Amino acid sequence: MTQTQTPPQAAPQYHQTDLPAEELIAQIDRLKQEKNAVVLAHNYQIPEIQDLADFTGDSLGLSVEASKTEADIIVFCGVHFMAESAKIMSPTKKVLLPHLGAGCSLADSITPESLDDWKQDYPDHTVVTYVNSTAEVKAESYICCTSANAVSVVRSLDNDKVLFTPDRNLGRWVAEQVPEKDVVIYDGVCPTHDVLRAASVKSTHEDYPEAVIIAHPECRQDVVEIAHEVCSTTGMLKAVEKYPDAKTFIIATENGMLHQLRLRFPHQEFVAADGCIGCRLHCPYMKITALQDVYFSLCEERYEIKLDDEVIAGARKALERMMAVPRDD
Ligand code: CIZ
């Protein structure tokens, strides 16, 4: 029997350039002006990209900032679902993701089909979806949440029965704080956060016994339990301000955050919680985008995020419901 094979999909061609970093940055600046573009960098991006961006921050904050600009083009240096959020918030702007390899294991752990199956098992529950999810999954959800406002979002619901998706660590943390609700939690995780164990954090703390521990709620329960503060990346910037006399902070989130903290608080010290200079707290998807990808993205206006109008409308409704609930951070 002859076997038929599906021809492989044409792989995206990633160009290479020998231009030095300073020249790439100068070219990116020139292209930004010429094309009326704005560059966004998530807190987990490589330092060089955070430094050249017009805005740095969390995925939703960046999408909101970009929607307020007059830019024609948004270059989102982050991962795919984040660029989708920017498109949902700015449907008439051209949104570009510089590297197509910038995916997200957590977002990919739930598909519209798996969400549908799950909803059938819990027909009376209201779906709350963390923004780390695809646009299609957001569109199938009643309301979105960020790690900053998840507790308020769940608390704000009229329904006491909640399906929380996709992050089980964030879901557990929320459920603990809203015991009056029956929160059923999906089984997804961010592998970068989930790999961290309290034993590693404690051993780092032994080296810096006076340090304040700040953990992201995507971390496991044992880590969150020994943290002094549990918050989103934006919340971490505010949390540090609460400890003006603290010299050292131990940070339990993706290591890109250390750059932003060191920039904003140059007189305080920030160390990675894994005791190995952030080598475990390293998201390969967040770090895949290099300066040259931003340059080629602007040159060739690639890779454009395209979403169906129906998906944009559904996802926007879920995001707008969330934005009507005040943030906690
Ligand atoms: O949504 C975001 O930006 C992420 C991934 C985390 C955070 O806390 O900012």
Side-chain angles (χ1 to χ4, degrees):
M1 197 170 80
T2 352
Q3 263 195 329
T4 50
Q5 281 191 321
T6 315
Q9 296 258 319
Q13 298 298 306
Y14 291 109
H15 306 317
Q16 299 286 329
T17 170
D18 292 333
L19 285 179
E22 313 80 70
E23 183 57 24
L24 279 173
I25 292 167
Q27 294 292 339
I28 290 168
D29 274 342
R30 176 185 61 78
L31 287 161
K32 262 179 14 183
Q33 307 299 329
E34 265 176 40
K35 300 199 173 197
N36 189 27
V38 69
V39 175
L40 312 179
H42 191 270
N43 289 323
Y44 298 158
Q45 288 288 288
I46 59 168
E48 295 83 339
I49 291 184
Q50 293 193 34
D51 291 348
L52 68 78
D54 297 291
F55 299 100
T56 50
D58 63 67
S59 63
L60 188 77
L62 288 172
S63 300
V64 170
E65 285 302 335
S67 72
K68 291 186 204 151
T69 69
E70 298 295 319
D72 295 313
I73 296 180
I74 299 171
V75 181
F76 204 124
C77 303
V79 294
H80 193 268
F81 79 80
M82 299 181 173
E84 284 188 342
S85 295
K87 183 71 187 171
I88 295 162
M89 302 301 295
S90 303
T92 59
K93 296 190 196 324
K94 188 182 246 189
V95 178
L96 306 174
L97 180 73
H99 199 299
L100 278 184
C104 172
S105 317
L106 174 59
D108 288 346
S109 70
I110 186 153
T111 60
E113 296 78 24
S114 57
L115 177 55
D116 245 21
D117 275 358
W118 203 43
K119 283 203 283 198
Q120 280 173 30
D121 293 340
Y122 298 94
D124 301 331
H125 286 57
T126 297
V127 178
V128 178
T129 293
Y130 184 30
V131 288
N132 289 34
S133 52
T134 63
E136 281 180 305
V137 167
K138 287 185 178 81
E140 298 287 316
S141 309
Y142 174 74
I143 190 167
C144 286
C145 70
T146 65
S147 48
N149 64 16
V151 171
S152 319
V153 164
V154 169
R155 203 171 270 144
S156 74
L157 298 173
D158 291 335
N159 192 353
D160 282 343
K161 294 177 178 168
V162 176
L163 288 187
F164 190 93
T165 169
D167 189 285
R168 68 165 181 249
N169 288 327
L170 178 63
R172 184 214 64 250
W173 183 70
V174 170
E176 279 164 14
Q177 290 172 80
V178 194
E180 66 276 19
K181 303 265 184 205
D182 165 26
V183 185
V184 181
I185 302 164
Y186 192 79
D187 192 18
V189 284
C190 161
T192 304
H193 286 92
D194 198 61
V195 78
L196 185 66
R197 297 295 190 273
S200 308
V201 185
K202 282 179 190 160
S203 125
T204 308
H205 204 218
E206 277 165 22
D207 295 337
Y208 304 92
E210 305 296 324
V212 176
I213 302 172
I214 306 184
H216 196 278
E218 286 178 34
C219 291
R220 294 167 73 98
Q221 183 165 18
D222 59 344
V223 171
V224 162
E225 275 173 4
I226 57 168
H228 300 98
E229 300 285 339
V230 180
C231 43
S232 67
T233 59
T234 300
M236 288 184 183
L237 296 168
K238 294 187 181 149
V240 171
E241 288 174 0
K242 286 166 58 182
Y243 299 88
D245 299 328
K247 189 175 164 298
T248 308
F249 294 83
I250 293 173
I251 305 300
T253 194
E254 210 281 341
N255 63 24
M257 191 62 208
L258 295 173
H259 180 66
Q260 209 40 237
L261 287 163
R262 286 173 184 148
L263 278 181
R264 310 261 185 123
F265 304 98
H267 303 299
Q268 282 157 309
E269 181 183 29
F270 298 93
V271 295
D274 58 359
C276 84
I277 57 165
C279 61
R280 290 189 202 98
L281 292 166
H282 168 99
C283 171
Y285 297 116
M286 276 291 180
K287 296 297 194 287
I288 203 169
T289 305
L291 277 182
Q292 62 178 8
D293 302 311
V294 185
Y295 165 67
F296 287 120
S297 179
L298 275 161
C299 275
E300 298 176 11
E301 300 189 14
R302 70 183 196 182
Y303 296 96
E304 188 177 355
I305 300 292
K306 294 203 168 134
L307 294 172
D308 286 350
D309 290 346
E310 214 177 298
V311 170
I312 292 186
R316 204 181 160 99
K317 195 175 269 180
L319 284 170
E320 280 171 355
R321 285 196 181 108
M322 170 193 79
M323 284 188 280
V325 178
R327 290 179 71 130
D328 300 328
D329 66 338

